[in-house]
Amino acid sequence: MSDFLKTQLEYVKGMGPDRAELMATELGIRTAGQLLEHFPFRYVDRSQLHRISEIGKTAQYVQLKGVLGPISTEGTGRKMRMRSYLRDETGQIELIWFKGIKWLKESLKPGQIYLAYGKTGVFNRILNIAHPELELANEQAAQSGFIQPVYSSTEKLNKRGLSSKGIEKSIKDLLSRPDFAVEENLPDYVREDLKLISRRQAYKQIHQPQSTTSLMHAQRRIKFEELFFIQLELLMKKNLRTAVVRGFVLPEIGEYFDRFYHEHLPFELTGAQKRVLKEIRADMRSGHQMNRLLQGDVGSGKTIVAALTALMAIDNAFQSAVMAPTEILANQHFESFSEMFDSLGLRVELLTGSTKKAKRKEIFQGIEDGSIHVLIGTHALLEPTVKFKNLGVAIVDEQHRFGVAQRARMWKKNAIPPHVLVMTATPIPRTLAMTLYGDLEVSIIDELPPGRKPIDTMQFSDAGRLRIFGFMEDQIKRGRQVYVVYPLIEESSTLDLKDLMDGYESLSRRFPKPDFQISIVHGKMKPADKEFEMNRFAKGETQILVATTVIEVGVNVPNASVMVIESAQRFGLSQLHQLRGRVGRGAEKSYCLLVADDKLSADGRKRLQTMCDTNDGFRIAEVDLELRGPGDMMGTQQSGMLDLKLADLAQDSKVLQFARNTALTMLDEDPNLDMDKNAVVKKWAEKTILKKPNWSLIS
Ligand code: ADP
Ligand code: MG
């Protein structure tokens, strides 16, 4: 490879030392190669010409071709204005400038034919364009194409002449240099197969597209490459782990599993649950460490899968751990596991931040001597004082709330790491899952337990509150229970707390004691008080639970049939879906009532509409991804992985699928990329993937 790409930016035409330094501080660009990777963020189609007479009154970007009229100026100093007009065969439009007048006046040539581009406006009923881009028509025609790239720049760069236009000029010059070269990193056979243009062509066309078609080809090629190398990295990691990291072999289906399965299973497993259990079982006997993501919508029955997985380990004389993100959820798991396993004579314990000292000591003892079979808890399980005698499987619920780093820590606890089953109830769109969890095996429970009726979701404004109350009363009289949830953006927000208390008061007036009982739970309460109130509701002693989002995750009260969500527009889609998942867990028909302002943002409206339209968690996740973008969706801690230059996980699922398949096939046939035909990939991987620090950590 020539050193062309390594050329320091200051030696690139149009740069020089000062501008180069500014480019480095403002955009982090230091070399010619980096400048070439500063792709346009949009394009302006300048192949279209508008006729002046056809321009409407609403502002729009237009490109016009016509004769530039005479130039006049008025005012002085800051109030100085410069005017002219452009005339084509159909009419004329005013052009106006407020800045840079002196220079413009010298360079413009009235009477010549210009191409003008800009946003139209109306002032004093006269149509105009302020600060149009003007180019002599013959110069424009000499350009290679009419699709103009627009580059992101900054105010400081703008002032130094490095606006989008300035950047464009430098890049254009680089592209036309005789030593211009970029290294191809995809094999010919892959390119031919998928009809991908060369890297060299792609770089030329992405910056200076000749047509919309060639731009599309360039974008497709570059997106593919970007996604392909991410997939390649994930899959190489996975292969390496299977090759290097051994896992406990847990061959037996033994007494505990059998007894539980045949005598204590409270219901027949769904087909999906059975299939997933088979997948898990295969992992556990393989001799490799299991790293499996279990995705299943809220209420799809992941808990029982977790329980049976734990038993597989216990049958082979190993311990199991279940980790949950909140104390409430850990509690709930503890209760269901205790209930399920007591009759088997297994010891289940709970460890959280609020476990008392004496109990803690007892638990530490029991984990070390192996008398505790299942330890359930929050991230307290990850503390170094927790030493298992022989942890066989670690089950992590609601993975997205734990960072990936925590997952890694969990499996470093033993010399041979335990099998890991990660469960998530927030369906992750396939594209995102492939990128975030591409190094995990994925199991999906895509079937709800039988008899579930879809939850009816309706939207109300404040004015509908009387109807909501009436509906609640009707359901309570039928023996059902109701959640009323308020948003809590910050734990400390007093405003949110006031909303909640006001709501609680009006509910108390409408649903008075002793006929009705209401529980209230919020973040300001002590854990013990929270638990007390939740328990009253879970036991059916109260009919209404007023709460902030603390109930979002995992609470299971099958008798609850109504979920009222206040200020629903303030919740994100996945949160709304999680909340709605709290109802519809029993056999009764369930309802979700969304209360929202009349005035909604476009996104807010789309969110609520989506909720009313569908119960499908995956569909909801797709819309969420569209609305929010992948970074926001997964929280900042993981967005680094999603820092893509060009590809967009919401838009480019097809390309991603191709990229993943290509990487899979390639590594299947040639795991170490030793074949000649894959040499370019190997070379590229050595430069980009294998030099990363986390890589050597694993290997
Ligand atoms: P989630 O996947 O959200 O964790 P749970 O495991 O809490 O779901 O299950 C939701 C409800 O469905 C629970 O009440 C559980 O007992 C019930 N359930 C799970 N699997 C089945 C099944 N195969 N048949 C009937 N009910 C089931
Ligand atoms: Mg659950």
Side-chain angles (χ1 to χ4, degrees):
M1 171 73 2
S2 75
D3 287 332
F4 168 79
L5 295 173
K6 296 204 181 98
T7 311
Q8 289 301 306
L9 201 60
E10 64 174 294
Y11 304 114
V12 170
K13 198 169 169 198
M15 290 293 166
D18 291 356
R19 285 171 159 194
E21 195 176 322
L22 204 57
M23 284 291 279
T25 51
E26 292 289 287
L27 298 176
I29 296 174
R30 294 187 167 78
T31 63
Q34 287 169 345
L35 184 61
L36 283 176
E37 291 194 354
H38 188 58
F39 299 132
F41 72 96
R42 70 182 173 92
Y43 298 83
V44 174
D45 183 0
R46 303 199 51 171
S47 58
Q48 299 283 323
L49 274 184
H50 293 81
R51 295 154 151 280
I52 292 174
S53 64
E54 287 165 5
I55 300 171
K57 294 269 174 193
T58 41
Q60 65 180 114
Y61 281 96
V62 292
Q63 177 171 245
L64 309 167
K65 188 175 180 180
V67 180
L68 185 69
I71 290 171
S72 64
T73 53
E74 62 200 58
T76 53
R78 285 166 155 265
K79 292 222 168 119
M80 185 131 103
R81 301 272 179 276
M82 179 171 101
R83 280 177 216 280
S84 179
Y85 58 82
L86 196 80
R87 182 181 6 227
D88 70 7
E89 316 86 76
T90 68
Q92 71 177 43
I93 185 169
E94 184 179 74
L95 308 176
I96 183 158
W97 292 265
F98 312 102
K99 283 189 278 185
I101 290 174
K102 188 163 167 280
W103 180 80
L104 277 163
K105 208 170 163 185
E106 283 165 16
S107 59
L108 289 175
K109 298 175 183 141
Q112 301 271 20
I113 299 178
Y114 275 87
L115 276 167
Y117 181 82
K119 195 175 180 181
T120 60
V122 177
F123 187 71
N124 278 344
R125 297 229 200 104
I126 297 173
L127 202 60
N128 70 23
I129 301 179
H131 284 266
E133 280 176 33
L134 285 174
E135 264 168 302
L136 281 169
N138 50 357
E139 280 177 20
Q140 171 72 23
Q143 272 190 17
S144 55
F146 286 94
I147 299 169
Q148 190 173 18
V150 183
Y151 295 92
S152 61
S153 177
T154 66
E155 203 173 321
K156 278 188 189 156
L157 285 170
N158 250 314
K159 278 198 184 134
R160 302 297 298 269
L162 288 173
S163 61
S164 171
K165 263 271 163 67
I167 293 173
E168 182 189 340
K169 275 189 191 139
S170 288
I171 290 178
K172 200 173 166 187
D173 182 68
L174 280 181
L175 294 172
S176 61
R177 268 169 56 166
D179 58 343
F180 165 75
V182 291
E183 186 181 334
E184 182 55 73
N185 55 18
L186 295 176
D188 291 347
Y189 75 94
V190 169
R191 290 211 287 112
E192 274 159 32
D193 222 33
L194 296 171
K195 303 205 167 33
L196 295 168
I197 60 174
S198 74
R199 198 153 188 260
R200 183 189 167 86
Q201 272 177 308
Y203 269 73
K204 288 206 160 190
Q205 290 300 319
I206 196 120
H207 289 294
Q208 298 279 310
Q210 254 149 3
S211 66
T212 42
T213 317
S214 63
L215 173 59
M216 214 183 64
H217 283 303
Q219 287 172 326
R220 184 161 168 272
R221 148 78 212 210
I222 293 173
K223 285 173 177 181
F224 178 89
E225 162 189 327
E226 184 168 33
L227 296 169
F228 170 76
F229 281 99
I230 291 174
Q231 290 305 317
L232 194 76
E233 175 173 1
L234 289 167
L235 293 170
M236 282 166 77
K237 260 190 199 156
K238 185 164 128 188
N239 287 352
L240 193 67
R241 205 172 45 216
T242 357
V244 174
V245 183
R246 292 195 313 118
F248 297 118
V249 185
L250 307 177
E252 302 296 325
I253 282 290
E255 197 204 325
Y256 288 121
F257 189 99
D258 270 345
R259 252 176 66 202
F260 183 74
Y261 199 92
H262 296 294
E263 293 166 28
H264 301 287
L265 206 59
F267 35 67
E268 166 89 16
L269 294 183
T270 62
Q273 285 169 323
K274 285 184 192 161
R275 188 190 66 233
V276 165
L277 275 164
K278 267 195 203 133
E279 290 165 354
I280 293 171
R281 168 130 177 76
D283 282 358
M284 299 258 236
R285 23 186 342 178
S286 69
H288 304 307
Q289 185 213 11
M290 170 169 78
N291 260 287
R292 189 168 281 279
L293 175 73
L294 174 57
Q295 281 201 65
D297 212 340
V298 259
S300 61
K302 293 183 293 296
T303 314
I304 197 78
V305 172
L308 286 162
T309 303
L311 290 178
M312 288 181 200
I314 297 167
D315 267 335
N316 289 276
F318 282 92
Q319 295 164 295
S320 303
V322 180
M323 186 164 77
T326 65
E327 287 207 7
I328 289 178
L329 187 53
N331 260 314
Q332 186 126 30
H333 276 320
F334 174 63
E335 270 161 31
S336 28
F337 274 73
S338 302
E339 205 182 299
M340 288 188 278
F341 290 176
D342 269 359
S343 53
L344 299 175
L346 293 174
R347 185 169 167 207
V348 182
E349 292 285 0
L350 175 71
L351 179 70
T352 68
S354 38
T355 306
K356 297 266 159 28
K357 219 175 175 181
K359 184 73 186 170
R360 252 172 206 278
K361 246 180 105 182
E362 196 190 309
I363 289 178
F364 291 156
Q365 179 64 41
I367 301 169
E368 260 191 282
D369 66 23
S371 60
I372 294 177
H373 298 96
V374 186
L375 183 64
I376 293 176
T378 52
H379 43 263
L381 299 196
L382 295 172
E383 279 159 26
T385 38
V386 181
K387 294 198 190 79
F388 287 89
K389 181 175 175 222
N390 56 2
L391 182 59
V393 61
I395 298 163
V396 187
D397 201 3
E398 307 291 343
Q399 157 68 13
H400 67 290
R401 301 206 151 203
F402 295 107
V404 170
Q406 273 173 319
R407 188 172 89 208
R409 231 162 91 198
M410 185 111 190
W411 62 265
K412 277 195 201 107
K413 289 180 87 68
N414 302 36
I416 296 186
H419 298 291
V420 178
L421 180 68
V422 164
M423 308 197 292
T424 167
T426 309
I428 303 164
R430 284 176 51 75
T431 52
L432 211 52
M434 264 190 255
T435 308
L436 281 176
Y437 302 116
D439 58 336
L440 304 186
E441 304 289 347
V442 179
S443 289
I444 298 180
I445 306 186
D446 51 6
E447 181 185 351
L448 292 180
R452 290 284 164 75
K453 303 184 181 90
I455 301 160
D456 273 358
T457 303
M458 286 158 286
Q459 192 183 327
F460 291 87
S461 67
D462 263 337
R465 201 167 300 277
L466 285 181
R467 274 168 62 212
I468 295 176
F469 285 166
F471 184 74
M472 286 168 62
E473 182 169 2
D474 180 59
Q475 287 284 309
I476 292 169
K477 289 218 165 114
R478 292 168 191 241
R480 305 283 90 77
Q481 289 165 283
V482 179
Y483 294 100
V484 181
V485 179
Y486 285 82
L488 185 69
I489 302 307
E490 270 175 60
E491 283 290 317
S492 60
S493 165
T494 45
L495 205 71
D496 288 339
L497 197 61
K498 188 177 175 304
D499 280 356
L500 176 88
M501 294 321 270
D502 287 353
Y504 174 68
E505 267 174 27
S506 69
L507 279 166
S508 304
R509 259 178 271 125
R510 178 62 175 73
F511 298 95
K513 288 176 190 167
D515 288 357
F516 302 95
Q517 301 289 335
I518 307 181
S519 289
I520 179 162
V521 177
H522 58 78
K524 282 273 165 77
M525 290 163 68
K526 291 205 188 82
D529 295 342
K530 268 194 238 179
E531 201 184 318
F532 177 77
E533 288 286 308
M534 299 280 288
N535 274 338
R536 289 210 304 150
F537 184 71
K539 282 190 223 142
E541 290 169 16
T542 61
Q543 294 89 29
I544 302 176
L545 175 67
V546 181
T548 51
T549 33
V550 286
I551 67 154
E552 182 192 336
V553 178
V555 179
N556 191 18
V557 181
N559 188 48
S561 67
V562 183
M563 167 65 64
V564 180
I565 304 178
E566 294 282 348
S567 304
Q569 78 279 359
R570 284 174 60 189
F571 291 93
L573 254 180
S574 73
Q575 238 183 340
L576 289 171
H577 182 62
Q578 289 285 317
L579 284 169
R580 179 168 62 182
R582 297 310 106 208
V583 297
R585 306 198 137 218
E588 301 304 328
K589 172 95 190 143
S590 294
Y591 305 87
C592 176
L593 313 184
L594 306 170
V595 191
D597 291 348
D598 291 327
K599 278 193 193 140
L600 289 175
S601 68
D603 278 11
R605 197 172 311 123
K606 174 101 192 231
R607 284 199 297 271
L608 301 187
Q609 190 56 47
T610 305
M611 288 296 292
C612 294
D613 288 349
T614 182
N615 277 286
D616 178 351
F618 281 93
R619 173 74 201 115
I620 288 171
E622 306 276 349
V623 176
D624 202 22
L625 178 61
E626 253 167 58
L627 289 179
R628 283 203 289 161
D632 273 355
M633 219 171 139
M634 303 314 291
T636 42
Q637 83 203 78
Q638 295 179 341
S639 61
M641 250 190 279
L642 302 169
D643 211 358
L644 300 172
K645 277 208 189 68
L646 199 64
D648 174 343
L649 293 179
Q651 310 289 327
D652 299 322
S653 57
K654 263 210 191 118
V655 185
L656 177 59
Q657 192 66 59
F658 280 128
R660 174 133 179 125
N661 290 345
T662 306
L664 270 170
T665 321
M666 192 180 289
L667 289 174
D668 248 14
E669 187 190 38
D670 184 14
N672 297 316
L673 301 175
D674 288 333
M675 295 169 92
D676 274 353
K677 65 175 185 178
N678 294 326
V680 287
V681 175
K682 179 157 194 163
K683 195 168 163 214
W684 192 261
E686 273 167 354
K687 277 201 304 205
T688 54
I689 300 174
L690 299 173
K691 65 160 207 226
K692 285 189 189 171
N694 58 350
W695 188 259
S696 52
L697 250 175
I698 299 179
S699 38

